[in-house]
Amino acid sequence: MDPKQCEFLAENELIEITPHFNEKEMHLVCGDVGEFIAGQMIPVPLWLAIQLKKQKKCTIHPPVWFTVDELKKLVDEEKQDAPFTSIPERFLEITRILFAFAKDDLNDVDQLRTLVQNLWDARDAKMGTSAIRLIQSQENHAQFDNLTQMEIMQSRNVLLVACRKVEELTSLVHKLN
């Protein structure tokens, strides 16, 4: 799987919008959506929200976790020397899509962007540290709880190399004994 495929999957996540139009229920392949009433919030798939936004037919409301205060909490939790903090499964993909297509609907865009990058950097550093610990230990397994699909996809090559090195070292130790 690559980042584009992860993003494609994220576009099916529901997000709230406020439509600027009235429309009966839409019958889509993924299910029925609506009724759209101007000024009344409604959950829709992210891909539909983006299409409506491009047509200037809605305002997108970011998820509750996509605020400065919530992101600061996540960054602070992630910087602790504990397991990975639990974040929404499609966190990275949704934030990227919202920055690309709905930044005028976001408050404090620059601060949000910085906090998302800080969170990503903290998680990436923790991933690197975990891989080093795996190589240095004589364990033949590692536990990476709370990683998102995007993080696993982007880290898998490093982890595979680390695991292969551990396997090689373990084999050598067993041959010497």
Side-chain angles (χ1 to χ4, degrees), residues 12-26:
N12 286 321
E13 296 289 322
L14 293 180
I15 193 160
E16 291 198 333
I17 65 165
T18 300
H20 305 307
F21 64 97
N22 294 315
E23 180 86 26
K24 299 255 186 230
E25 187 175 61
M26 289 183 184

Side-chain angles (χ1 to χ4, degrees), residues 44-158:
V44 299
L46 183 55
W47 65 266
L48 180 58
I50 296 305
Q51 291 306 313
L52 294 172
K53 179 71 179 172
K54 286 178 181 179
Q55 298 170 17
K56 301 183 187 326
K57 290 186 174 185
C58 76
T59 301
I60 295 176
H61 301 281
V64 294
W65 49 261
F66 197 39
T67 64
V68 169
D69 290 338
E70 289 301 314
L71 288 175
K72 281 182 181 178
K73 287 178 193 174
L74 287 174
V75 170
D76 289 342
E77 287 177 34
E78 198 62 59
K79 287 183 178 178
Q80 296 175 9
D81 190 33
F84 290 93
T85 302
S86 179
I87 62 174
E89 175 59 32
R90 306 284 181 205
F91 176 88
L92 296 168
E93 300 93 307
I94 291 171
T95 58
R96 197 213 70 70
I97 291 168
L98 292 176
F99 283 139
F101 298 105
K103 68 179 153 189
D104 61 323
D105 291 336
L106 304 174
N107 295 324
D108 304 314
V109 175
D110 292 333
Q111 195 171 8
L112 288 173
R113 193 180 307 275
T114 299
L115 288 166
V116 167
Q117 186 62 50
N118 289 347
L119 182 60
W120 174 256
D121 291 344
R123 291 175 74 83
D124 191 45
K126 197 175 278 188
M127 178 69 71
T129 302
S130 297
I132 289 169
R133 283 185 192 150
L134 175 64
I135 292 171
Q136 290 175 339
S137 74
Q138 292 187 4
E139 298 290 323
N140 58 3
H141 69 279
Q143 187 169 345
F144 294 99
D145 293 332
N146 298 322
L147 292 181
T148 65
Q149 189 172 23
M150 177 72 83
E151 290 171 313
I152 292 168
M153 185 276 313
Q154 291 184 333
S155 302
R156 74 175 164 214
N157 289 338
V158 172

Side-chain angles (χ1 to χ4, degrees), residues 4 7 27 33 41 52 63 85 114 122 145 150 168 171:
K4 288 292 181 194
E7 205 168 279
H27 304 286
V33 180
M41 285 177 52
L52 294 172
T85 302
T114 299
D145 293 332
M150 177 72 83
E168 287 174 21
S171 294

